[in-house]
């Protein structure tokens, strides 16, 4: 009998739930199509489900027709995008995660105080692109302690940092330590201020790997937080794999395994976790158990702009 241990918590976080709900409610209210700039979250199944309901995903604002309801993704956008949408009079619903918005506010506060701002994050990630574009003035992007050493900043300069919300807490600590070692005056949020969902899922994976022979992470290869969960498993010496759903399970991964640890990134729905369990059960008799862990109850309010959308019934009248 093979045991499947489920991490707690796993899967959708409050920011992802809010973003998907925004698109769903916009579609319900105004009808299809509703245009979404970039993937609403990094999960193919979520995107395809919303596309089937009438969401249209575009890469650039120029791809949105005049007058079309437009949703900004959970990762956030640059101010230039916001201004371009306003200039065209597009009805915009901003699905940026409130915790990402909090990072934007912190960054602007540090710049107003005249401090050199460092953003800890991965170059090219949509959240990082949006954050860089939300802050007026120079922002230095670093992703490793080595990049801290190369910063073109005087050692006596007042430095503040902000972080991408989906980073590994341990990696962030190392970069913050490198900043404090190089600069005399460093301020920034505590690592406890990194996204609660990121921290909770990483801690749960460590608990999972203490008992499992193998780690499976359900999530997209585009998802920074999902990739990091797999990396934590590897760091703990466990074979670790990232898969979109049960169809990607390789039976060879299960050879010699008695206990499978299973979790999901913050943008992966529970139905995909269940598809992996079903794929394992098709190969071996299984028992399923959920580890004790944090029960997440946080909910984010929906943006008021949703209420201002004209309903299709009213429009038809």
């Amino acid at each position: 009998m093979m045991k499947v241990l489920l991490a707690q918590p796993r899967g959708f976080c409050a920011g992802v739930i809010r973003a998907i709900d925004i698109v769903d409610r916009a579609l319900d209210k105004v009808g299809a199509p509703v245009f979404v700039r970039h993937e609403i979250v990094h999960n193919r199944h979520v995107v395809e489900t919303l596309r089937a309901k009438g969401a249209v995903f575009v890469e650039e604002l120029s791809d949105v027709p005049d007058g079309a309801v437009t949703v900004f993704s959970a990762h956030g956008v640059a101010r230039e995008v916001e201004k371009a949408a306003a200039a065209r009079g597009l009805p915009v619903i901003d699905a940026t995660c409130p915790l990402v918005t909090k990072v934007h506010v912190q960054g602007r506060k540090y710049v107003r105080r005249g401090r050199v701002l460092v953003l800890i994050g991965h170059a090219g990630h949509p959240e990082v692109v949006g954050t860089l574009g939300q802050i007026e003035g120079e922002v230095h992007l670093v992703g490793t302690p080595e990049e801290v050493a190369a910063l073109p900043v005087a050692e006596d300069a007042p430095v503040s940092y902000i972080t991408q919300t989906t980073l590994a807490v341990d990696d962030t600590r190392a970069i913050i330590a490198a900043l404090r070692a190089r600069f005399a005056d460093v301020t920034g949020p505590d690592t406890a201020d990194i996204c609660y969902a990121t921290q909770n899922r990483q801690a749960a994976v460590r608990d999972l790997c203490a008992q499992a022979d193998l780690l499976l992470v359900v999530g997209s290869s585009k998802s920074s937080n999902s990739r990091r969960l797999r990396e934590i498993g590897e760091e703990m010496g466990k074979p670790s794999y990232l898969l979109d759903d049960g169809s990607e399970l390789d039976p060879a991964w299960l050879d010699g395994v008695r206990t499978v640890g299973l979790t999901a990134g913050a943008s992966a729905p529970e139905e995909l976790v269940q598809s992996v369990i079903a794929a394992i059960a098709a190969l071996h008799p299984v028992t399923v158990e959920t580890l004790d862990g944090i029960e997440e109850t946080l909910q984010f309010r929906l943006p008021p702009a949703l209420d201002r959308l004209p309903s299709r019934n009213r429009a038809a009248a």
Side-chain angles (χ1 to χ4, degrees), residues 41-55:
V41 295
H42 279 153
N43 187 274
R44 174 174 56 85
H45 292 270
V46 170
V47 168
E48 289 177 354
T49 298
L50 292 173
R51 183 179 286 123
K53 295 179 180 179

Side-chain angles (χ1 to χ4, degrees), residues 13 15-16 37-42 59 72-79 81-82 94-108 117-135 139-142 161-168 172 189 193-199 202 222-228 266-267 300:
C13 64
V16 166
R37 185 181 181 275
H38 292 331
E39 294 183 347
I40 188 70
V41 295
H42 279 153
E59 287 303 306
F72 293 154
S73 80
H75 308 102
V77 299
R79 280 187 164 176
V81 176
E82 295 173 338
D94 189 355
T96 301
C97 175
L99 297 180
V100 174
T101 300
K102 179 182 176 182
V103 173
H104 299 168
V105 172
Q106 287 175 326
R108 288 194 287 266
L117 185 62
V118 175
L119 170 58
I120 302 172
H122 299 307
H125 188 280
E127 181 187 329
V128 168
V129 172
T131 299
L132 290 171
Q134 278 286 332
I135 299 168
V139 184
H140 301 274
L141 176 64
V142 297
Y161 61 83
I162 53 177
T163 72
Q164 178 184 336
T165 62
T166 53
L167 293 181
T172 305
D193 280 352
I194 296 173
C195 169
Y196 79 96
T198 296
Q199 293 193 75
Q202 290 178 12
K222 294 181 181 179
S223 168
S224 176
N225 76 87
S226 297
R227 293 197 309 270
R228 183 55 189 152
S267 53
F300 292 131

Side-chain angles (χ1 to χ4, degrees), residues 161-225:
Y161 61 83
I162 53 177
T163 72
Q164 178 184 336
T165 62
T166 53
L167 293 181
V169 177
D170 289 345
D171 290 348
T172 305
R173 285 196 186 103
I175 294 172
I176 294 171
L179 288 169
R180 295 193 185 283
R182 180 175 171 193
F183 300 104
D185 180 2
V186 178
T187 62
D190 188 87
T191 52
D193 280 352
I194 296 173
C195 169
Y196 79 96
T198 296
Q199 293 193 75
N200 289 349
R201 279 152 189 72
Q202 290 178 12
V205 160
R206 295 186 186 281
D207 292 341
L208 199 61
C209 288
Q211 301 184 44
D213 305 312
L214 166 77
L215 175 67
L216 298 179
V217 179
V218 181
S220 170
S221 59
K222 294 181 181 179
S223 168
S224 176
N225 76 87

